[in-house]
């Protein structure tokens, strides 16, 4: 369960753990149908969103990195750099930070002490993610292959940093003719070099008591100076669906405030 901290499992918050299992259909009455996959993969819904957004007058700027956000008395200025190193500046009424919590304060050019205090409370950890075609990170018996595969130590004790291998072919119901591809988090052994497709390190929030306390405090600053925050770190079990849900919640709050001010 990757939202869990690099700690002894005896110290995990059972509520966070069970909420993660419920969303994945491991426990509870609804079963695995509670999660669905998009036919055609992530590019399909990215394209669908682009069409929906641009028809309604929105403007997308891909391959453009935000480098700073400055909140003026009446507007907010967002500074960005394109992949061609062109510098851009946008003036907006509101800004939503859909990022990890540790990325917020470095982007704010005028963070308040209150904002710094809250975002410094969110714990996060580093993880390695390998995309590959090497079946040695899967169970030896193919009949035991699942969408999520958890490897434990030879003595039967859970690892502090568990190796989890996702099997997208089964997860998305791909036909058997599609070659096997695996996504392994914190691999305990390296996939064969010729089987390695991608190897990356990233940081992600983790579920601890401090996470819940920081999330509760974040409500104190939502919408302050036109600044809003959304992301999976705001709602258990801290996965992608929750990032979407918090974004929808913030959008509703923002629209409600704008309508009330008219």
């Amino acid at each position: 369960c990757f939202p869990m901290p690099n700690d002894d499992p005896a110290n995990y918050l059972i509520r966070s753990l069970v909420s993660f299992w419920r969303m994945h259909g491991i426990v509870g009455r609804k079963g695995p149908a509670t999660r669905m996959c998009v036919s055609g993969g992530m590019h399909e819904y990215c394209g669908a969103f682009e069409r929906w957004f641009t028809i309604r007058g929105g403007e997308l700027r891909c391959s453009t990195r935000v480098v700073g956000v400055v909140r003026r008395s009446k507007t907010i200025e967002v500074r960005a750099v394109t992949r061609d190193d062109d510098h851009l500046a946008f003036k907006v009424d509101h800004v939503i930070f859909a990022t990890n919590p540790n990325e917020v304060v470095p982007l704010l050019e005028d963070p308040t002490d209150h904002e710094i205090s809250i975002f410094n409370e969110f714990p996060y950890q580093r993880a390695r993610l390998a995309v590959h075609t090497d079946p040695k990170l899967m169970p030896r018996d193919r009949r035991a292959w699942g969408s999520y595969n958890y490897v434990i130590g030879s003595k039967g004790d859970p690892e502090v940093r568990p190796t989890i291998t996702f099997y997208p072919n089964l997860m998305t119901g791909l036909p058997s003719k599609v070659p096997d591809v695996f996504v392994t988090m914190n691999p305990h052994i390296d996939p064969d070099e010729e089987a390695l497709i991608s190897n990356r390190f990233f940081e992600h929030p983790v579920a601890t008591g401090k996470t819940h306390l920081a999330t509760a405090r974040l409500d104190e600053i939502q919408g302050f100076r036109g600044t809003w925050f959304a992301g999976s770190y705001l709602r258990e079990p801290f996965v992608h669906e929750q990032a979407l849900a918090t974004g929808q919640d913030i959008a509703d709050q923002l629209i409600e405030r704008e309508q009330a001010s008219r």
Side-chain angles (χ1 to χ4, degrees), residues 59 91 112 153-154 192 204 214 227 255:
E59 184 178 348
K91 288 186 178 180
T112 64
S154 58
D192 289 343
H204 64 94
T227 310
I255 292 170

Side-chain angles (χ1 to χ4, degrees), residues 12-205:
Y12 290 173
L13 293 175
I14 190 64
R15 184 179 69 186
S16 300
L17 192 60
V18 172
S19 66
F20 182 86
W21 287 340
R22 285 188 65 184
M23 178 162 279
H24 287 75
I26 298 172
V27 299
R29 297 180 179 180
K30 290 186 177 181
T34 53
R35 297 194 94 199
M36 296 179 289
C37 295
V38 178
S39 297
M42 65 179 183
H43 300 290
E44 292 296 323
Y45 70 76
C46 289
F49 173 77
E50 181 181 11
R51 292 189 294 273
W52 178 91
F53 191 65
T54 53
I55 287 173
R56 287 159 177 78
E59 184 178 348
L60 290 175
R61 293 192 175 266
C62 300
S63 301
T64 301
R65 179 170 54 92
V66 175
V67 295
V69 175
V70 185
R71 293 166 293 186
R72 312 289 187 190
S73 58
K74 294 183 179 180
T75 61
I76 300 171
E77 185 175 291
V78 179
R79 298 172 181 168
V81 179
T82 69
R83 70 169 128 193
D84 298 323
D85 207 30
D86 293 328
H87 290 250
L88 308 174
F90 310 95
K91 288 186 178 180
V92 297
D93 297 317
H94 296 269
V95 60
I96 300 174
F97 282 82
T99 67
N100 281 336
N102 60 308
E103 297 171 326
V104 172
V105 172
L107 286 174
L108 281 171
E109 296 190 13
D110 54 352
T112 64
D113 291 341
H114 196 188
E115 289 167 334
I116 294 172
S117 171
I118 291 173
F119 283 104
N120 282 346
E121 287 297 310
F122 282 98
Y124 53 91
Q125 63 194 23
R126 198 167 188 248
R128 177 188 174 194
L129 202 68
V131 181
H132 59 93
T133 58
D134 191 346
K136 72 183 178 186
L137 284 114
M138 294 287 283
R140 291 189 181 93
D141 186 348
R142 188 173 180 120
R143 292 173 298 178
W145 286 16
S147 296
Y148 303 86
N149 303 272
Y150 171 50
V151 177
I152 61 175
S154 58
K155 296 181 181 179
D157 298 324
E159 302 284 351
V160 173
R161 287 176 62 86
T163 291
I164 304 171
T165 296
F166 305 91
Y167 184 31
N169 298 55
L170 178 61
M171 199 181 303
T172 57
L174 296 177
S176 57
K177 64 181 180 181
V178 176
D180 289 329
V181 175
F182 313 105
V183 181
T184 301
M185 192 168 192
N186 300 322
H188 66 293
I189 53 174
D190 287 326
D192 289 343
E193 188 173 348
E194 61 271 17
L196 194 61
I197 299 171
S198 176
N199 184 41
R200 297 184 179 183
F201 290 87
F202 68 100
E203 293 178 334
H204 64 94

Side-chain angles (χ1 to χ4, degrees), residues 94 221-229 257:
H94 296 269
I221 60 172
Q222 282 286 15
F224 173 69
R225 299 175 69 186
T227 310
W228 306 79
F229 309 97
R257 178 176 297 189

Side-chain angles (χ1 to χ4, degrees), residues 2-15:
F2 64 85
M4 295 298 106
N6 295 333
D7 194 4
D8 189 321
N11 298 327
Y12 290 173
L13 293 175
I14 190 64
R15 184 179 69 186

